[in-house]
Amino acid sequence: SEEIHLLLKDRVSDKTCKMNVFTCTGNDSADMNIGLLLPEEVLRNANVFIRQHHTGQLLTWLHQINKEGGGKYANVYPFGMANSQFDLSHKNLEMGILINYFYLGKGTQETYHADHLLTAEECRQALDAWNGETSISDQWSSSYCCNSFALKLAQFGVESIEELQVGRIQEVLDANLETLAYIEHNRWNIEKLMTGFVPTTEEQHQNILSGNMSAKELKKNFIHDDIRPFEELSKGEQEKDFTLTRALINMINNN
């Protein structure tokens, strides 16, 4: 609609950030029309992701020829095709379950020791937490986190996440714990923004701190108080990222 086009043109005029636009009505043809008929100002200054269920070849070709020629569709990308998706039966599923287990703070103090092998009861707790306490979106979040570990550690010369590399990985964790926790939170921020969440306003944040507003209730409306720089998080929230990073060796040993 004209109103939406005007809103997008207003938002994309903010040069301090890069806007992402997603079209995902569930109808491939409609999504393509919506995306390709956006105002040229939006097409040239935002990334436009168009949902396609079966193939993204046409949009990929359109992106490539426009990128080479400086056309207005250079920032248009397909996403969501069945042959390019990760699902929760992916080989990293077990690691995702462990990430979720440690993130939720389950187990005992001994559970978090690097050389601790999970007991049958702890494995049951991890599965129960995954199946009974964790939303689909948070399951995906754990899967995304798992897929990012190798990339984060590669910056420090770790070639692969496997048992043969455990000694080297431990050295990197010991020397760069705060940096890796910071990187993980930045990854999480982007993930939340791309899945539709927005940060709290300063007023909402202060109301949460004073107990006059519920952060949990705001999350139901896709407003998250932890979408903020790492240094602005509470000590408790920072510790979640530290705990998750420290637990990597444990997760490798138990995967």
Side-chain angles (χ1 to χ4, degrees), residues 110-235:
E110 182 184 357
T111 305
Y112 293 80
H113 291 173
D115 57 354
H116 176 74
L117 295 179
L118 296 181
T119 64
E121 175 60 21
E122 287 169 334
C123 290
R124 186 191 63 77
Q125 288 178 354
L127 283 171
D128 286 348
W130 182 264
N131 294 319
E133 302 177 33
T134 308
S135 66
I136 291 295
S137 61
D138 284 340
Q139 289 181 356
W140 277 90
S141 182
S142 293
S143 182
Y144 296 148
C145 178
C146 170
N147 291 330
S148 74
F149 271 131
L151 183 61
K152 286 184 286 191
L153 290 172
Q155 300 175 64
F156 300 95
V158 176
E159 296 178 0
S160 63
I161 298 180
E162 56 186 29
E163 289 187 40
L164 293 175
Q165 291 281 324
V166 162
R168 173 61 182 145
I169 293 172
Q170 187 65 66
E171 291 176 4
V172 170
L173 296 183
D174 291 342
N176 303 279
L177 180 63
E178 186 166 351
T179 299
L180 287 165
Y182 183 95
I183 293 172
E184 169 53 27
H185 182 66
N186 283 348
R187 182 206 65 78
W188 180 90
N189 275 338
I190 297 300
E191 174 200 311
K192 286 302 179 188
L193 291 170
M194 291 189 70
T195 52
F197 280 85
V198 296
T200 52
T201 63
E202 182 59 28
E203 181 180 359
Q204 289 170 328
H205 178 60
Q206 293 303 324
N207 281 329
I208 290 171
L209 293 178
S210 63
N212 294 323
M213 189 173 285
S214 168
K216 186 175 182 180
E217 288 301 311
L218 286 175
K219 289 178 190 177
K220 294 178 182 179
N221 294 313
F222 285 80
I223 303 170
H224 208 303
D225 194 44
D226 293 332
I227 301 177
R228 59 182 63 252
F230 182 77
E231 58 272 16
E232 293 182 13
L233 292 174
S234 67
K235 295 298 182 183

